[in-house]
């Protein structure tokens, strides 16, 4: 006879058997910056390009940016850490 499982180990199951968790998506939500837009880091004034964006808990916009001319992984920054106006930097 099989014993009932108290807890399921999700990591050991194949992906096809794991139920998908629904994510809230508001199509009317507008981000401050667009993917591919050139922006500047407020703290250093370096030029960067938006490579991704997401909204995190607390309704804050988080962006993945790639510094122009740098060979590194994209940085994750919040909307208040970047600007499209270079005069607001530093």
């Amino acid at each position: 006879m099989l014993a009932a499982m108290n807890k399921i180990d999700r990591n050991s199951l194949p992906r096809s058997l794991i139920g998908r968790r629904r994510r809230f998506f508001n199509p009317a939500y507008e981000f401050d910056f667009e993917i591919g837009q050139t922006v500047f880091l407020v703290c250093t004034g370096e030029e960067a390009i938006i490579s991704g964006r997401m909204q995190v808990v607390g309704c804050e916009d988080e962006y993945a940016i790639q510094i122009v001319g740098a060979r590194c992984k994209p940085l994750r920054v919040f909307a208040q850490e970047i600007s499209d106006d270079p005069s607001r930097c530093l």
Side-chain angles (χ1 to χ4, degrees):
M1 189 172 251
L2 295 174
M5 293 179 64
N6 291 337
K7 190 172 182 182
I8 296 174
D9 183 14
R10 293 177 61 89
N11 294 330
S12 65
L13 292 173
R15 295 192 98 190
S16 62
L17 295 178
I18 298 174
R20 301 287 182 238
R21 294 181 180 145
R22 296 188 182 259
R23 292 172 50 176
F24 174 75
F25 178 72
N26 182 358
Y29 184 78
E30 292 187 26
F31 287 91
D32 294 334
F33 303 103
E34 298 293 325
I35 294 176
Q37 182 179 352
T38 301
V39 294
F40 300 90
L41 284 169
V42 173
C43 60
T44 62
E46 291 183 273
E47 185 177 8
I49 297 175
I50 304 285
S51 61
R53 60 189 184 179
M54 67 234 51
Q55 186 180 28
V56 296
V57 175
C59 296
E60 288 194 69
D61 295 342
E62 187 174 7
Y63 295 91
I65 62 168
Q66 182 67 47
I67 305 283
V68 174
R71 298 183 73 193
C72 61
K73 290 183 179 180
L75 300 174
R76 292 177 69 162
V77 296
F78 290 107
Q80 64 267 20
E81 298 174 296
I82 55 179
S83 172
D84 56 354
D85 182 13
S87 64
R88 288 192 52 216
C89 302
L90 296 173

